[in-house]
């Protein structure tokens, strides 16, 4: 059941922070209640749902105007702020209701022309419906229970049983002008109603205040959930979105996800007429999901659309199903992905002909996979898109399960889904979208919680990659700072490389770039150091690199789309320093490892490169070491750290930039890049 989260003290704080203006105070409460709705993923999913409030503001001429503040494009309700509710002059919008027809493009133009701040985001596509409803505060949600109800073959009897005449029924119509007119007319024909059920879509309700509308959102949703629990005999759910991966079979994940990811990357590459384009995955698992995946009607359910047509933009209509029998066949994943692609292209041709052509084919790969023995797999061009697909997948499973038990789950069909997915407004957005250079790439950085490793992880994350940081210390705070996935492991453990990368495969689906960076720098005379200390240096500074390379290669080979291995070698590999022999010897071996791996892995499309850095503040070159060594030379710390041709200190971010540059050099392999500010004795030329 939905929890009622309104807190009068918090609401008062939001109001007070807005200042004395009544419109601003009302808007602040609207932001507060919107966040309460957005905080519950069962009420709204990514991009689904919107909120509004009507206020009076005085314009530059001193005239009062009615302004509709409605959620804008690009904002999520759970993190909404006042700028995410752009204000639109309401009277010009009301005048549009007299028209018989209005194109989506003209609708958007009128809405933008009447913004009180022209820099504001585009108002919601359902702005007109919010405007035509006469109530001051309006909420539109996609609660899981309402989606199960809205997709029944005939929801009317159930709706009357639950609400009597308090809700009115609206047929499915694409969001926009026509839906706004029809829904407003139905509302006007039921003047006492306190909400609308939009068939195969969602729920609208309203109130005079933000609190009143929020109360109704919770009350209506709980009433539907209670009815579903009684009708189906299923326990009332607290939340359908758990983001759980605890029940995963690690071996199955390692076997399936890289192959699935590689097959989809090839489909994407073929669509764009170039090299494979990787994706990121996000798994959801658990007992309820396992039970759902064991249904005998799974294949039929997979061909039905999403619980709300809005979701098609993130998940497509059909899902890819991989059964136990499919997974037992070595080439079946590739074949099933190819068949999905061909089916999607056929659907596009069919529907594009129906609408008279002119649409641009989207990437024809699955965005959701239902995988036996594994779970629900969200698939997207980046981690955020994959996570959104995973969230929707969990909600869809609950809505389908409840709907089937309550009479049937029958969402909109192929034609309506096509119209939604290939909506002219969405097509225009796609043409403007520009991905970052490493969007879709998965990067693992060892020693990633500090120093060069953290700087490198940050640099790749900034370029759009899904990043995992591997370190002895979990590095959770450092990882969270850059939106990375932390993996705590001791790289000296026998199975550390394989197990750490297995965690990354479970989290993101595979691996494209390994940055093997972790190391340590013992000091002492090579002839007098204990053999065990020298051996220990080889374990972390050479054998750990080799182990990571072996584990990474197994994943990259399974994907079949190439990959990159990058190693932090060292200036010590070619220009030894006094007292650093136990560090330089294994680094020299790693220097050779780069070239040997480049020779052996080139045929698989895997490039192998490294960086020789010098005097970079990190876990190896500590502040204490810098102080001691600079004092021993009679130099200031700045002079010591800038002891190169450029006479400037080399920072961790400069090494990170070098790793990124090597990763972008797709036809370079076996190369060692020097990042030391200039040291003639360490030059490889």
């Amino acid at each position: 059941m939905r929890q009622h989260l309104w807190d009068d003290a918090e609401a008062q704080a939001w109001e007070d922070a807005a200042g004395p203006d009544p419109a601003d105070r009302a808007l602040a409460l609207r932001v507060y209640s919107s966040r309460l709705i957005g905080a519950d993923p069962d009420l709204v999913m990514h991009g689904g749902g919107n909120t509004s409030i009507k206020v009076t503001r005085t314009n530059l001429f001193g005239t009062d105007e009615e302004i509709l503040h409605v959620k804008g494009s690009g904002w999520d309700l759970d993190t909404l702020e006042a700028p995410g509710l752009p204000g639109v002059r309401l009277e010009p919008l009301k005048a549009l209701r007299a028209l018989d027809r209005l194109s989506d493009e003209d609708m958007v133009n009128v809405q933008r022309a009447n913004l009180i701040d022209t820099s504001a985001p585009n108002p919601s596509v359902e702005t007109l419906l919010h405007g035509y409803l006469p109530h001051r505060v309006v909420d539109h949600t996609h609660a899981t229970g309402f989606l199960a109800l809205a997709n029944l073959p005939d929801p009317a009897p159930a709706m009357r049983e639950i609400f009597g005449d308090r809700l009115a029924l609206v047929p499915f119509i694409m969001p926009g002008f026509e839906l706004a007119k029809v829904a407003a007319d139905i509302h006007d024909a039921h003047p006492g109603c306190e909400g609308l059920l939009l068939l195969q879509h969602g729920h609208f309700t309203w109130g005079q205040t933000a609190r009143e509308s929020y109360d109704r959102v919770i009350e209506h949703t709980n009433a539907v959930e209670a009815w579903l629990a009684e009708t189906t005999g299923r326990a009332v759910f607290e939340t359908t979105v758990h983001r759980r991966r605890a029940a995963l079979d690690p071996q199955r994940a390692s076997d399936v996800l890289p192959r699935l990811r590689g097959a989809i990357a090839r489909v994407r590459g073929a669509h764009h007429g170039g090299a494979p384009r990787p994706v990121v995955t996000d798994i959801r698992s658990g007992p309820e999901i396992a039970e759902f995946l064991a249904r005998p009607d799974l294949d039929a359910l997979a061909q039905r659309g999403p619980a709300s047509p809005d979701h098609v933009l993130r998940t497509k209509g059909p899902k890819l199903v991989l059964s136990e029998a499919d997974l037992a066949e070595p080439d079946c994943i590739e074949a099933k992905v190819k068949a999905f692609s061909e089916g999607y292209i056929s659907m596009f041709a069919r529907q594009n002909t129906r609408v008279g052509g002119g649409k641009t084919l989207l990437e024809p790969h699955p965005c959701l996979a239902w995988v036996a023995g594994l779970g629900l797999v969200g698939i997207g061009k980046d981690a955020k898109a994959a996570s959104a697909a995973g969230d929707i997948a969990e909600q869809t499973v609950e809505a389908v399960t409840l709907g089937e038990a309550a009479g049937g789950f029958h969402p909109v069909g192929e034609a309506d889904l096509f119209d939604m997915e290939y909506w002219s407004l969405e097509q225009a957005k796609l043409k403007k979208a520009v991905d970052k250079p490493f969007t879709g790439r998965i990067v693992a950085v060892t020693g990633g919680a500090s120093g060069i490793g953290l700087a490198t992880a940050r640099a790749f994350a900034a370029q759009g990659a899904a990043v995992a940081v591997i370190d002895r210390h979990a590095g959770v705070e450092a990882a969270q700072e850059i939106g990375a996935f932390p993996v705590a492991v001791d790289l000296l453990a026998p199975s550390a490389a394989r197990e750490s990368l297995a965690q990354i495969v479970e989290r993101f689906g595979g691996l494209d770039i390994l940055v093997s960076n972790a190391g340590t720098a013992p000091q002492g005379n090579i002839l007098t150091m204990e053999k065990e200390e020298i051996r220990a240096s080889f374990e972390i500074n050479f054998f750990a690199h080799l182990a990571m390379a072996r584990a990474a290669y197994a994943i990259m080979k399974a994907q079949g789309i190439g990959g990159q291995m990058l190693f932090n070698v060292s200036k010590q590999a070619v220009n030894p320093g006094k007292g650093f022999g136990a560090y330089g010897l294994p680094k020299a071996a790693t220097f050779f490892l780069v070239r040997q791996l480049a020779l052996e892995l080139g045929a698989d499309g895997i490039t192998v490169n490294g960086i020789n850095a010098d005097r970079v503040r990190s876990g190896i070159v500590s502040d204490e070491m810098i102080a001691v060594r600079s004092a021993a030379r009679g130099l200031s710390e700045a002079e010591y750290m800038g002891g190169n041709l450029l006479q400037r200190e080399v920072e961790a971010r400069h090494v990170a930039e070098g790793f990124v540059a090597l990763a972008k050099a797709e036809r370079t392999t076996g190369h060692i890049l020097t990042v030391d500010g200039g040291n003639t004795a360490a030059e490889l030329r």
Side-chain angles (χ1 to χ4, degrees):
M1 303 291 282
R2 302 307 99 214
Q3 292 186 353
H4 194 288
L5 301 176
W6 186 281
D7 182 280
D8 286 334
E10 288 185 8
Q12 187 65 53
W14 277 88
E15 261 194 305
D16 292 344
D21 183 84
D24 289 342
R25 293 174 69 84
L27 180 60
L29 282 181
R30 174 71 284 195
V31 171
Y32 171 62
S33 67
S34 298
R35 282 174 167 245
L36 296 184
I37 293 169
D40 186 342
D42 275 306
L43 292 177
V44 288
M45 278 294 171
H46 303 270
N50 35 71
T51 60
S52 70
I53 187 169
K54 301 176 182 75
V55 300
T56 300
R57 293 188 181 277
T58 304
N59 63 25
L60 293 174
F61 301 100
T63 304
D64 286 345
E65 291 182 303
E66 195 174 10
I67 303 298
L68 172 68
H69 284 278
V70 62
K71 190 181 86 72
S73 176
W75 285 84
D76 292 327
L77 290 180
D78 60 336
T79 56
L80 191 68
E81 298 176 5
L85 288 164
V88 192
R89 296 177 183 87
L90 188 55
E91 285 307 313
L93 302 188
K94 288 181 177 179
L96 296 175
R97 191 173 174 182
L99 298 176
D100 293 327
R101 298 182 69 242
L102 181 69
S103 71
D104 291 331
E105 290 74 15
D106 286 341
M107 178 184 70
V108 171
N109 283 338
V110 171
Q111 290 175 179
R112 284 212 63 82
N114 284 283
L115 285 169
I116 59 174
D117 178 358
T118 58
S119 67
N122 279 342
S124 165
V125 71
E126 288 169 322
T127 292
L128 294 184
L129 177 48
H130 283 264
Y132 295 165
L133 293 172
H135 309 282
R136 185 167 182 253
V137 178
V138 177
D139 287 313
H140 171 40
T141 57
H142 291 172
T144 307
F146 267 109
L147 292 182
L149 180 67
N151 286 290
L152 292 175
D154 181 11
M159 194 178 73
R160 285 194 297 270
E161 181 182 342
I162 302 168
F163 296 106
D165 59 359
R166 291 193 296 151
L167 257 64
L169 206 60
V170 179
F172 176 76
I173 301 171
M174 280 272 293
F177 176 68
E178 183 183 359
L179 173 61
K181 286 194 64 169
V182 170
D185 289 344
I186 290 172
H187 167 273
D188 293 348
H190 298 79
C193 71
E194 57 187 43
L196 300 173
L197 175 64
L198 277 58
L199 288 184
Q200 300 165 313
H201 187 168
H203 170 236
F204 268 83
T205 193
W206 45 75
Q208 183 59 26
T209 65
R211 171 67 185 266
E212 183 180 10
S213 186
Y214 176 71
D215 288 347
R216 284 177 172 168
V217 169
I218 302 302
E219 179 203 343
H220 291 181
T221 304
N222 283 340
V224 172
E225 289 184 6
W227 180 86
L228 285 168
E230 181 180 354
T231 302
T232 66
R234 289 177 58 86
V236 176
F237 47 92
E238 291 184 6
T239 180
T240 62
V241 179
H242 300 284
R243 300 187 173 97
R244 289 189 308 200
R245 305 177 184 90
L248 280 179
D249 177 348
Q251 184 56 49
R252 173 147 294 186
S254 294
D255 177 57
V256 171
L257 294 178
R259 290 193 288 151
L260 174 62
R261 189 167 176 266
I264 292 174
R266 283 183 282 277
V267 166
R268 292 189 74 204
H271 174 74
H272 293 283
R277 294 195 177 194
V279 293
V280 179
T281 67
D282 194 312
I283 305 177
R284 307 302 167 85
S285 61
E288 299 89 352
I289 291 171
E291 178 185 354
F292 177 82
L293 294 178
R295 291 181 66 119
D297 58 349
L298 194 68
D299 286 331
L301 293 175
Q303 295 308 307
R304 299 183 195 174
S308 173
D310 299 51
H311 295 167
V312 75
L313 302 174
R314 296 182 181 272
T315 67
K316 290 189 166 61
K319 296 86 180 168
L320 176 70
V321 176
L322 295 174
S323 67
E324 291 285 357
D326 294 330
L327 299 179
E329 296 293 329
D331 299 323
C332 194
I333 293 177
E334 187 84 23
K336 294 274 283 194
V337 170
K338 183 178 180 182
F340 182 100
S341 173
E342 292 170 347
Y344 183 87
I345 293 171
S346 296
M347 178 280 296
F348 172 81
R350 195 164 53 244
Q351 295 300 329
N352 196 34
T353 299
R354 174 182 64 85
V355 299
K359 302 295 184 181
T360 300
L361 175 67
L362 301 175
E363 293 181 339
H365 65 81
C367 293
L368 282 180
W370 293 349
V371 184
L374 192 59
L376 314 173
V377 182
I379 302 161
K381 69 177 185 177
D382 54 28
K384 183 178 180 180
S387 177
D391 288 350
I392 291 171
E394 287 195 76
Q395 186 186 41
T396 299
V397 163
E398 187 66 33
V400 169
T401 303
L402 289 168
E404 285 290 290
F409 175 79
H410 296 280
V412 297
E414 179 181 289
D416 287 320
L417 282 179
F418 177 88
D419 290 343
M420 190 75 183
E421 188 175 8
Y422 284 87
W423 198 0
S424 59
L425 300 183
E426 292 299 327
Q427 293 262 294
K429 286 183 187 178
L430 288 173
K431 291 177 181 177
K432 297 177 182 178
V434 178
D435 291 335
K436 294 181 178 180
F438 289 97
T439 296
R441 303 285 186 90
I442 300 167
V443 180
V445 183
T446 68
S450 62
I452 291 172
L454 180 58
T456 301
R458 181 182 289 111
F460 276 107
Q463 296 274 340
V467 177
V469 295
I470 303 171
D471 206 285
R472 281 184 305 172
H473 313 291
V476 173
E477 291 185 6
Q480 288 177 339
E481 176 196 343
I482 61 173
F485 174 59
V487 179
V489 68
D490 181 356
L491 290 177
L492 297 180
S495 57
R498 177 174 51 81
E499 291 178 358
S500 61
L501 292 188
Q503 289 186 51
I504 296 169
V505 169
E506 291 177 20
R507 178 62 187 86
F508 293 129
L511 180 67
D512 298 295
I513 301 171
L514 168 67
V515 183
S516 194
N517 162 75
T520 186
Q523 298 179 57
N525 191 307
I526 193 68
L527 295 178
T528 58
M529 288 182 74
E530 295 292 335
K531 288 190 296 184
E532 289 73 17
E533 195 171 359
I534 298 173
R535 290 181 191 276
S537 181
F538 265 88
E539 287 296 332
I540 186 62
N541 291 314
F542 173 73
F543 285 110
H545 291 301
L546 177 59
M548 291 302 301
R550 287 175 169 174
Y553 174 69
I555 298 169
M556 293 175 183
K557 180 70 172 177
Q559 292 172 164
I561 55 174
Q564 295 172 305
M565 296 186 190
L566 301 170
F567 294 87
N568 189 350
V569 188
S570 172
K571 160 260 186 188
Q572 295 290 330
V574 294
N575 178 217
K578 186 176 180 180
F580 279 94
Y583 175 63
L585 280 170
K587 284 297 187 178
T590 302
F591 181 103
F592 180 84
L593 178 65
V594 169
R595 295 187 169 182
Q596 188 66 34
L597 289 176
L599 178 68
E600 296 183 4
L601 304 185
D604 292 306
I606 299 172
T607 64
V608 187
N609 296 292
I611 283 184
N612 279 0
D614 186 31
R615 295 189 190 180
V616 180
R617 295 177 193 270
S618 64
I620 292 176
V621 182
S622 65
D623 290 341
E624 182 181 1
M625 179 191 295
I626 293 170
V628 170
R629 295 180 74 86
S630 58
R633 289 164 171 76
L635 301 172
S636 68
E637 290 188 14
E639 289 171 331
Y640 172 71
M641 294 302 289
N644 53 52
L645 298 180
L646 296 178
Q647 299 180 24
R648 289 177 175 85
E649 179 176 343
V650 178
E651 300 174 19
R653 65 184 177 88
H654 299 129
V655 183
E657 291 167 359
F659 278 126
V660 170
L662 286 172
K664 289 181 177 179
E666 296 182 353
R667 293 295 183 270
T668 298
T669 192
H671 179 64
I672 301 294
L673 178 67
T674 300
V675 184
D676 60 8
N679 180 349
T680 302
E683 291 174 356
L684 301 179
R685 299 174 288 281

